[in-house]
Amino acid sequence: MWNEPGPPNPPRRGWRDWALVAVLMAVAVLEGVLRQDLPWRAVSVAITAGLVLTLLWRRSRPLPMVAVAFGTCALSPLVMNGASLQTYTLVFLLLLSYALCRWGSGREVVIGLVIILLKVTHSMISDSPGLPDVIGGWAVVSASIAAGLALRYRAGARARELDKVKLLERVQLARDLHDTVAHHVSAMAIRAQAGLATSGSHPDAATDALRVIESEASRALAEMRAMVDVLRQNQPADRQPGRRITDLRQLASRGRSGPSVDVEISGDLDDIPPPVGAAIYRLAQESVTNARRHARHATRIEVRVAADDTSVRLRVSDDGDGGLAHPSTRPGYGLIGMIERADLLGGTCVAGPDPDRGWTVTAVLPRTGSAT
C-alpha cells in the first residue's frame, strides 16, 4: 500500500464545502455560548472554528489537513493550562480521517493513520475514560476509516472494470479492421494479376488496374492506421468474416418468444468502409439484446439505418414501459462499450428514455470511418 497512488480526479472544492464550513463554525460558536462547563471557552471555540477550515482541503491535501487538525488538538493543552479541547463540534475530524483513506495516496494513508492512532491513544490515556467510552471511540473512528477505504477500493474496482470493457471493445474493433485490410490486399493482388495479364494487349486496362490498386492501397493504409490506434492487447486476430450493415436483416424476428424486431435500411450503402459497417451492426446487435433483456412489456423493437453522403445513422427504439434505466443512473458496461466503439470511429452514441415510453439508442458514424 505504501507505493499506491491516490485516486485520480478528486472532487473540487465547491459551494457545499463552504456551506459545511459555515454551518460548523456557527455550531462551534453556539456551543461556546451554551456550554458553561467548557474549559477556556473563548480559546476552545477559536481553535475549533479555525480547524474547521481544514475541511476545505480535505480531498486535495488530506495528509497535511489531518496533521494540522489532530496535531493542534494534541498540542492544545499547552495553551489551555493543561486542559484539552472538549467541544462536540470536533466530531468533524471523522470527515478528515474518511477523506484521508478515500483520497490520499498509500503513503499518506499510512502516515495519517499513525497520526490519528497516536492522537486517539494519547486522548484515552490523558482523559482516562471508562471502558465503554474507549470501545465506542475506537468503533466510531474505525467506522470512518473503513468507510473511506471501502469506497476507495469500490471506485478503483469499477474503474478497472470500465478499462477492461474499453479494452475488449478496442480489441473487437481491431479484429474487424483486420478483415477489412485483408480484403483490400486481396483486391490489389487480383487487380495486379489482371493488369499483368492484359498489359501487352490492352495497356489501358493495366492503367485502370493501377488506379484501383492505388485506391485500395490508400484505404488499406488508413484502416491499418486505425487498427494501430485501437489495438491495445497482443492477441491473435479473429479470422471470422466481419459483419456488414446488410447483416442486420438477420436480427429481424416475428416476436414468438419476445418483442418483434423490425429492421429497415435505407440510403446508399455502397463504398461504406467495413469498419463502419461492422460497428453499425455491433451497435444495433447490442441495442436489440439490451431491449429484449431489460425493456419491460415491450412488444416491438425498431432498427432503422439511414446512410447519406457524409454519415451513417442508426436508431434502435422499443415500446417498453420504464426504459432500460433511469436517466440519473450510471451507464452499464454494455452502453459504455457502445460509446467507446462509436468514439473510436469519430462518431457518437447516445441512449435514453423516450418522452412517453420506451428507450432509444442513436448512433451517428462518419461515412469515411475516420478514427479520432
Side-chain angles (χ1 to χ4, degrees):
M1 184 176 180
W2 182 261
N3 296 320
E4 181 181 348
N9 304 320
R12 294 182 179 181
R13 183 167 57 250
W15 68 268
R16 291 183 178 87
D17 297 307
W18 289 103
L20 176 62
V21 167
V23 170
L24 288 175
M25 283 187 173
V27 170
V29 173
L30 182 61
E31 182 180 3
V33 173
L34 297 179
R35 287 189 60 186
Q36 302 297 325
D37 62 329
L38 190 65
W40 293 71
R41 284 196 296 172
V43 177
S44 297
V45 171
I47 294 177
T48 302
L51 292 180
V52 168
L53 293 174
T54 58
L55 293 176
L56 297 175
W57 295 275
R58 67 186 186 278
R59 303 187 192 98
S60 58
R61 299 289 186 272
L63 178 58
M65 296 304 101
V66 166
V68 169
F70 284 86
T72 301
C73 291
L75 298 176
S76 61
L78 297 178
V79 296
M80 297 174 57
N81 197 22
S84 60
L85 286 174
Q86 299 179 14
T87 55
Y88 299 143
T89 312
L90 285 176
V91 71
F92 76 83
L93 293 178
L94 295 175
L95 296 177
L96 294 180
S97 59
Y98 165 82
L100 172 70
C101 297
R102 177 64 180 90
W103 300 109
S105 65
R107 184 171 306 181
E108 291 175 333
V109 171
V110 172
I111 297 174
L113 289 181
V114 171
I115 295 175
I116 295 173
L117 175 64
L118 293 175
K119 171 59 180 69
V120 174
T121 303
H122 174 266
S123 297
M124 292 182 177
I125 294 176
S126 60
D127 297 340
S128 300
L131 181 61
D133 292 335
V134 172
I135 296 176
W138 276 115
V140 172
V141 174
S142 300
S144 66
I145 294 173
L149 292 175
L151 291 180
R152 174 196 187 98
Y153 288 108
R154 179 183 178 185
R158 177 172 174 79
R160 289 189 294 270
E161 189 67 24
L162 294 181
D163 290 339
K164 180 180 178 181
V165 171
K166 292 182 179 181
L167 177 61
L168 293 176
E169 196 65 34
R170 290 167 184 259
V171 171
Q172 181 62 47
L173 182 57
R175 289 172 176 173
D176 292 338
L177 287 170
H178 171 271
D179 295 330
T180 67
V181 174
H183 168 76
H184 293 313
V185 173
S186 299
M188 287 187 288
I190 294 173
R191 284 292 184 172
Q193 293 172 357
L196 289 174
T198 59
S199 59
S201 58
H202 298 86
D204 294 339
T207 301
D208 293 339
L210 290 175
R211 291 195 182 98
V212 173
I213 291 173
E214 179 186 12
S215 174
E216 293 290 338
S218 298
R219 295 176 62 183
L221 180 60
E223 292 166 7
M224 277 292 292
R225 287 172 177 170
M227 179 163 43
V228 171
D229 290 337
V230 302
L231 189 57
R232 292 294 185 269
Q233 187 170 336
N234 187 19
Q235 293 184 355
D238 192 352
R239 298 292 180 176
Q240 296 181 353
R243 293 291 189 174
R244 297 173 297 176
I245 293 180
T246 54
D247 293 332
L248 286 174
R249 295 188 176 92
Q250 300 175 5
L251 300 177
S253 66
R254 293 297 181 183
R256 295 178 180 177
S257 60
S260 62
V261 180
D262 181 64
V263 178
E264 181 180 317
I265 303 174
S266 61
D268 183 13
L269 302 181
D270 296 335
D271 299 328
I272 290 181
V276 176
I280 290 293
Y281 178 87
R282 298 298 183 190
L283 294 174
Q285 183 184 44
E286 180 71 17
S287 300
V288 171
T289 300
N290 288 340
R292 284 174 168 168
R293 183 180 303 169
H294 300 292
R296 298 187 299 270
H297 307 115
T299 61
R300 180 181 177 86
I301 302 173
E302 294 183 352
V303 180
R304 300 290 183 262
V305 178
D308 54 31
D309 295 337
T310 59
S311 63
V312 181
R313 179 180 294 271
L314 168 69
R315 185 177 185 274
V316 181
S317 59
D318 63 75
D319 60 353
D321 53 351
L324 302 182
H326 193 277
S328 62
T329 61
R330 293 178 297 183
Y333 297 131
L335 180 57
I336 292 174
M338 295 165 62
I339 295 174
E340 177 75 4
R341 175 178 283 268
D343 182 67
L344 289 172
L345 292 176
T348 60
C349 179
V350 295
D354 296 330
D356 297 330
R357 58 180 296 172
W359 185 270
T360 297
V361 177
T362 302
V364 180
L365 302 183
R367 190 182 181 93
T368 56
S370 301
T372 56

